[in-house]
Amino acid sequence: EVQLVESGGGLAQAGGSLRLSCEVSGISFDQLVIGWIRQAPGKEREGVSCVSNRDGGTYYGQSVKGRSLISTYSAKNTVYLQMNNLKPEDTAVYFCAAGVPPHNKNPYDSRCGTEYWGKGTQVTVSS
């Protein structure tokens, strides 16, 4: 059974930082495209950042570009998202999502996958 387990969400002040983690089990980490999809109340899901473990290619959504960094640690089957200069509009549930190319068709980017999902972690940014 494939499992994606997120951690690291919480409450932060505007201008602060958070690091989200997602640990993967039940599937070969190195074959994945994996990243973060968020959903704010009343809004559609948005691709935040993704990475291809096959070639290291990365994707950043326009709303987080320049203040976020996605990284992976294969020894721990974990992907991280470092978010800096947080804004109230970053408030959302952040889902870890992954897929295995070529079965990773999704509305965000070829380096994202939506075949497997975590349960999400809440990020709340206060002004």
Side-chain angles (χ1 to χ4, degrees), residues 9-110:
L11 180 64
Q13 289 191 330
S17 299
L18 279 176
R19 189 177 80 155
L20 306 182
S21 301
C22 172
E23 184 173 358
V24 179
S25 61
I27 194 169
S28 173
F29 188 71
D30 292 342
Q31 68 177 316
L32 296 176
V33 288
I34 187 168
W36 300 89
I37 312 297
R38 71 185 182 186
Q39 187 163 24
K43 295 188 176 181
E44 293 187 355
R45 286 183 175 177
E46 174 190 6
V48 179
S49 182
C50 304
V51 59
S52 169
N53 283 344
R54 297 187 168 197
D55 62 15
T58 57
Y59 161 80
Y60 292 94
Q62 199 62 37
S63 60
V64 301
K65 195 173 290 185
R67 56 189 186 92
S68 295
L69 179 68
I70 192 167
S71 61
T72 62
Y73 187 22
S74 294
K76 291 190 174 183
N77 290 346
T78 299
V79 59
Y80 304 97
L81 181 67
Q82 177 71 39
M83 298 183 65
N84 302 317
N85 190 22
L86 288 165
K87 304 176 180 181
E89 49 264 43
D90 292 321
T91 295
V93 178
Y94 285 70
F95 296 93
C96 181
V100 181
H103 308 293
N104 63 315
K105 185 177 180 180
N106 66 86
Y108 312 113
D109 187 84
S110 62

